[in-house]
Each structure stands twice: as C-alpha cells, then as structure tokens.
Amino acid sequence: MDKTMADQKFVNASETGEIPSFNGSDKAKATDFANYFCSYAQLYHQKQMLADHNRMAAYHSAIIGNSDVFKDKVVMDVGTGSGILAVWAAQAGAKRVYAIEYTDMAKHAISVMEANNVSHIVKVIQAAVEDIDYLCDEDRDEGDSHSVDIIISEWMGYFLLRESMLDTIIRARDRFLKKGVGLMFPSHATMYFAPVCDEDERKQISAEYTAAMGDWAEFAESTMCTYGVNMSVLENEYEREQKEYYLLSSRWSELNPDVLLAEPAVIKFLDMCTCTIEESRGISADAYFNQFEFDVNGSQQNGPISAFAGWFTVDFKSRTDQEGKDAPKLSNPALLSTGPENGYTHWGQQVFYLQSPLPLIKEQTTTLKGLIEMTRSKENARLYNCRITYECSRRKNSEPKGGHVMMKSAKVENVYQIP
C-alpha cells in the first residue's frame, strides 16, 4: 500500500484541513462519523447533556424568557440531538422550527416532537446542515435562502472550540440567517485562562507517568531474560507516548473556585453574528487576546502554581454589531458559564498541568507572562493542540510593577493535546 494513502486513510479532516462534513471525501466523512458523530446517536450521551442543569437552565431561560422574539418566527436548531431546544422554541411561539440532526438521533427527535405536541411546528431534518440547499418553500423568499429569523444551537465543546462545530454554525448562519435582523442563540462566546493550585492532581499524574515508565523497564528486562529479545530500542518512543498522554494532555476537571490564583484573562471573544471561519479555527500566535500576564501574591495565595486552567462562557443577549442595530432586542439576557464559580457542567474546565510546580514565596509576587495558541490537529480537525509559552519572574511585594526583579526564568514552552 502507498505510504501516503496509508497515513491518510483515517485522517479526520478534508483535504483542505476542514471538518469533513463541509467538503470531505466519503472516506473522511465516514471517519468523522466513526470518531465524532456516532456518540451523539446514543441516548446515554444525550442524557449526559440533558442532565447538565446549568446548561439546561441557561438555554431554557434564554428561549422561554424571550418568547416575544420567538413569536411567529422561523427558527433553525443546528445539531438538535434529542430535540429539546426545538421543543422550547416551539413552546416559545415559533411558527416553524427546522431541527437539523445528522445522526439517527433524528428518529428519536421526531418521537419527542410528537410526544410534546409540537410536530406540526417542528420539522426534523436528518442531514448535515452543510448539505441542505434550502428550506421549505413557504419559508423562503423568492431567490433568497436567508429565511431563518433565529439560529439556536448547543455547539460548544471542551474549552469552547474542541469538536470544531462552530464551523457548521457559521456556515448555517451565512446560508440561512436573515441579514441584519437575524439572531444567534448563543450570541457571544468568551474564553478564559488562569493559573491554579491543584497539587494533588498534578502529583497523581506525575506518579502515573513514573509508574508507566517503571513498568516499561520491567517489561524490557523480562522480555530479554525470558525470550532473548532486546526491546530497549523502543524505550524512547514509548517514553514520548507516555509523556504526551500523562504530562502533555489537558485534563477535564471540576475545579473549586478557591484554587484560582489570579483573575482569569480573556484569551478569545467571539460575536456569533460576525465571527468568521478563520476565527473559529483556534487562537493564532498574533491574535489580539492571546497574551496573558498574571501577578500572584505569595502572601495572599496558597501555592504552588500547579497548572493553567481554561473555560468559557456564552451569552444570550441582543446583537452588538452595527449591522444588527435593527434586530429584535432581548429583554431577558441569559448567561451560561463553565467556570469554577458556577459548579458542575459537563464541559468542566480543561487543566494544563505543569511538569514542575512553581512555588509561591511570602512577601513576593510571582509574575507569569506569556501567550497561548490553539491549533487544530492535522490528523483530526475536531481536536486541538494548545501551545502555552510563558516566563516566570519574582519581585518583592513592595516593588511596583515594572520595578526591580529578583529572578526571571528562561522561557518555558509546552504543547498540550486537548483529547
């Protein structure tokens, strides 16, 4: 078999690096379904999201609490799943709801519509939204596909961007949403980043890595003694694999607010009515928000610094872009936060653990200054790598910011997978 073909056989991306549902080959789409969509066809996965009450309450408040903007409107629910957002849109007064679902969960969604007496309002369409050319003729102006008043979707993945579903939402918006007056639910999204103290977990991860490497040494010696085969030539590659898995992969966590060591920094902001596909691809090295600087006072915080943590919020509020100045206004804005202060959500926080902790010293302020980049994995356009670069310095608390520095470290750079 040709090596290039073998390497690309199960790449979860189109030839241009897009998510396969947009312009992928049949093979790429099949891989995408196996790696991504198939889990959403399972009710156990839907239940996990439906049991997330912070998630549910935010969407319910946003839709039912603003029924005046839904009344007699055409709504599209992208990635409807079991269909609960579409039900709420119908209950809020929408005249027509198009519930788009790629997987066989669409069949369950039809049952949910019938059970909740909204099947005359909600039309479930089993398809990728990228493959839909136009909606029903009665909701389409002559020669214009922009017939949708509101797009609702729960598209967010871990650390907001994982799964890359935002691409699909942007394409649906550009294809179907009414220009200037259409609304997006959610309307805005913000990513946050902060240093944390979580030594128990960091030590546990380090211990697991050490144990894995000790297990390899035992395995190599046993194989040599028992079968006369030297496997030590593979040790470096095995170590690379284990390091990526244990030390350079972010971890899902439900952090206590007390572990935050500084005010979180905003590292990305998206206006859902204006953001672009390019913006959805990650955080570039020259992005406006990608730099951070944290001052951690050793006399006020219990250290050490164990990790960085990332999370997001989404808003449901009126349009803020100039083109949308005449769009309907939301009288009851809503907010969904996945931050530590909000308790459990199925998104949790993504934590990037340091390989060595940074101690905090009484009467001194430790400054972490650096930048974060997020890029899509070449092998899977729905997964991300996160490059965190920083340097550490210390000054006495009595010194003003920018004053005499007692110590400044070399630049540290790590690339983490967000699995």
Side-chain angles (χ1 to χ4, degrees), residues 198 201-202 205 247 251 253 306-307 351-355 416:
D198 188 13
E201 184 65 18
R202 193 197 66 78
I205 292 169
L247 305 182
R251 300 291 181 108
S253 185
S306 308
V351 184
F352 307 87
Y353 287 94
L354 307 180
Q355 293 181 42
Y416 297 84

Side-chain angles (χ1 to χ4, degrees), residues 42-61:
Q42 304 297 317
L43 284 171
Y44 84 89
H45 195 189
Q46 297 290 325
K47 178 179 175 293
Q48 180 188 29
M49 295 182 289
L50 295 171
D52 180 343
H53 293 294
N54 279 319
R55 168 191 185 267
M56 296 289 282
Y59 274 88
H60 187 261
S61 296

